[in-house]
């Protein structure tokens, strides 16, 4: 079905252009002469853009229509990837900014689109979230082999994801082309600002839950290979274990939203996510060099299921697609700005203490407010917006 294929295609494009940079940083620095800090900015800048541009997405949808806004985000994504392929070095940063801005818009609008179109939004959000994880896993694992296969330098590794963005745009255009006239009145954004939603405790809890989920993901994603290497795990296995984490995350991302959509309240899922986090972080804290695949898989399952649940809560707690877009913009703005701080805090603690006990304990401590927020966000209620809830269109 075109609807399902289009949703999956957009989701598959939301991570590779970002995660593909990290495996190439060594070759990139050798070629360009960038310092470690400036090279690290290439991986941090898109995440900052996820937060900075997220609140603009509902207003862009108001101007051009929801489907057209997503199509434009894919076009900007392709342009950003292309910019990074050319000298001078400044274009690397300009391209990364465009990549981050484009993904921010799609991140916010896709849950709203699913809310509006799907009769069973939980099931479709599961597909969307699983595709996010698959895209991240493939982006991390395939970038370097692709560059070697085509015989190019690091630019070849980045160029492969341009084709994926264009393919996603080709699948999405039939959806965008059918939506503007019929749906523009339903997509209109009212005069009230999205930030006013945070006056409600429910919106604040959804926002905190998605933010602390993002802190876990980006912190472990940035430092897991180093943590495992310090524990005596061979460097050659670090990438495989990171891939295992993403694969387990895809399973959690597929299952959690599908289950959430069938439940009146999602608190049992919040507890299941907490349990998986405790197993994963507990193992990495106490015996990282033994049973490593179990701890990494448990963390991946927790992160994939938890983040997918957070996105699904945006849909389930919103009475209308419009509210889902507004709440998504606010929650992801705060969430990704928190996420950008996470790896820095973990790295600072590692440098300060010379080990991983304090950093992992910090992440474990974050589970307390995360679970508190998730417990409140999982209560069966809707945000109060004055809008009449709309029934979803059948798929």
């Amino acid at each position: 079905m075109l609807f399902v294929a289009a949703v999956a295609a957009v989701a598959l494009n939301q991570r590779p252009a970002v995660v593909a940079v990290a495996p190439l940083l060594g070759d990139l620095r050798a070629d360009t002469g960038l310092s470690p800090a400036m090279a690290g900015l290439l991986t941090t800048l898109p995440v900052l853009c996820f937060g900075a541009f997220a609140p603009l997405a509902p207003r862009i949808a108001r101007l051009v229509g929801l489907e057209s806004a997503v199509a434009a985000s894919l076009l900007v994504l392709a342009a950003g990837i292309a910019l990074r392929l050319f000298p001078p070095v400044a274009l690397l940063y300009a391209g990364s900014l465009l990549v981050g801005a484009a993904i921010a818009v799609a991140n916010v609008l896709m849950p709203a689109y699913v809310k509006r179109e799907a009769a069973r939004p939980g099931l479709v959000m599961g597909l969307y979230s699983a595709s996010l994880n698959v895209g991240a896993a493939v982006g991390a694992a395939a970038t370097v082999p692709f560059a070697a296969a085509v015989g190019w330098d690091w630019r070849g590794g980045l160029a492969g994801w341009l084709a994926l963005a264009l393919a996603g745009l080709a699948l999405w255009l039939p959806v965008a082309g059918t939506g503007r006239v019929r749906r523009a009145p339903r997509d209109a954004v009212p005069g009230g600002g999205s930030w006013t939603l945070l006056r409600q405790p429910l919106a604040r809890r959804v926002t905190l839950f998605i933010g602390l989920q993002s802190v876990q993901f980006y912190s472990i994603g940035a430092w897991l290979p180093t943590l495992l290497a310090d524990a005596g795990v061979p460097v050659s296995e670090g990438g495989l274990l990171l891939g295992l984490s993403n694969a387990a995350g895809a399973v959690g991302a597929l299952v959690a939203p599908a289950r959430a959509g069938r439940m009146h309240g999602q608190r049992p899922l919040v507890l299941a996510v907490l349990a998986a986090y405790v197993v994963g972080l507990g193992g990495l804290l106490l015996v990282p060099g033994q049973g490593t695949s179990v701890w990494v898989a448990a963390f991946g399952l927790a992160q994939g299921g938890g983040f997918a649940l957070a996105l699904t809560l945006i849909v389930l707690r919103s009475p209308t697609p419009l509210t889902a877009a507004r709440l998504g913009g606010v929650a992801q703005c705060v969430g990704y700005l928190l996420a950008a701080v996470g790896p820095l805090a973990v790295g600072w603690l590692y440098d300060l203490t010379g080990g991983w006990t304090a950093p992992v304990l910090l992440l474990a401590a974050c589970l307390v407010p995360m679970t508190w927020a998730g417990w409140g966000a999982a209560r069966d209620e809707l945000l109060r917006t004055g809008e009449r809830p709309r029934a979803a269109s059948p798929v």
Side-chain angles (χ1 to χ4, degrees):
M1 183 178 294
L2 180 60
F3 166 72
V4 174
V7 169
V10 174
L12 285 171
N13 274 284
Q14 300 308 294
R15 296 297 179 264
V18 177
V19 302
V21 174
L24 300 169
L25 279 181
D27 291 341
L28 188 152
R29 286 186 58 212
D31 184 39
T32 61
L34 288 177
S35 68
M38 291 302 294
L41 183 59
L42 288 174
T43 61
T44 305
L45 183 60
V47 181
L48 292 173
C49 289
F50 290 175
F53 287 93
L56 300 179
R59 298 192 177 278
I60 295 172
R62 178 187 184 186
L63 293 175
V64 301
L66 195 154
E67 293 94 337
S68 297
V70 175
S73 77
L74 289 169
L75 188 61
V76 172
L77 174 64
I81 295 172
L83 270 184
R84 297 194 297 190
L85 305 181
F86 300 99
V89 171
L91 292 183
L92 273 172
Y93 295 95
S96 295
L97 189 149
L98 289 180
V99 164
I103 294 174
V105 171
N107 276 342
V108 171
L109 296 184
M110 286 306 296
Y113 178 75
V114 171
K115 170 77 174 179
R116 194 189 66 191
E117 296 296 324
R120 296 175 62 184
L123 187 61
V124 181
M125 284 303 298
L127 172 68
Y128 174 77
S129 302
S131 298
L132 285 175
N133 282 80
V134 169
V138 173
T143 298
V144 172
F146 178 80
V150 299
W152 295 352
D153 59 7
W154 56 270
R155 290 182 174 86
L158 296 180
W161 306 115
L162 175 60
L164 182 65
L166 294 175
L169 179 61
L171 277 172
W172 183 261
L173 280 177
V175 174
T178 60
R180 173 73 187 275
V181 174
R182 180 171 63 86
R183 293 165 180 158
R186 296 171 63 183
D187 291 336
V189 175
S194 297
W195 293 98
T196 60
L197 292 175
L198 291 182
R199 295 172 183 170
Q200 300 183 48
L202 178 59
R204 293 197 295 270
R205 290 196 175 190
V206 170
T207 298
L208 184 60
F209 187 60
I210 196 171
L212 293 175
Q213 285 287 336
S214 299
V215 167
Q216 298 284 347
F217 173 76
Y218 285 101
S219 297
I220 291 293
W223 291 107
L224 181 63
T226 306
L227 185 156
L228 296 179
D230 288 352
V233 177
V235 175
S236 59
E237 295 181 16
L240 294 176
L241 289 168
L242 192 56
L244 173 63
S245 176
N246 284 320
V251 174
L254 184 62
V255 172
R259 293 292 303 161
R262 297 188 180 101
M263 303 168 71
H264 292 295
Q266 292 73 38
R267 286 176 170 175
L269 295 177
V270 173
L271 294 179
V273 167
L274 173 65
Y277 268 125
V278 169
V279 171
L281 290 176
L284 291 175
L285 175 65
L286 299 176
V287 283
Q290 302 175 26
T292 308
S293 59
V294 176
W295 319 137
V296 169
F299 180 86
L301 188 66
Q303 193 285 319
F307 186 72
L309 176 61
L311 291 179
T312 304
L313 289 175
I314 291 174
V315 172
L316 297 178
R317 300 289 85 89
S318 301
T320 67
L322 163 61
T323 305
R326 295 171 64 201
L327 178 59
V330 170
Q332 293 189 50
C333 174
V334 175
Y336 284 118
L337 292 178
L338 275 176
V341 173
L344 297 176
V346 167
W348 176 77
L349 273 178
Y350 175 68
D351 288 338
L352 182 67
T353 63
W356 289 105
T357 299
V360 176
L361 283 175
L362 173 64
L363 293 177
C366 288
L367 296 179
V368 176
M370 187 198 78
T371 303
W372 172 82
W375 190 260
R379 187 170 56 245
D380 186 20
E381 65 174 308
L382 295 174
L383 287 168
R384 300 183 304 277
T385 63
E387 302 167 84
R388 180 179 300 176
R390 299 183 188 273
S393 303
V395 177

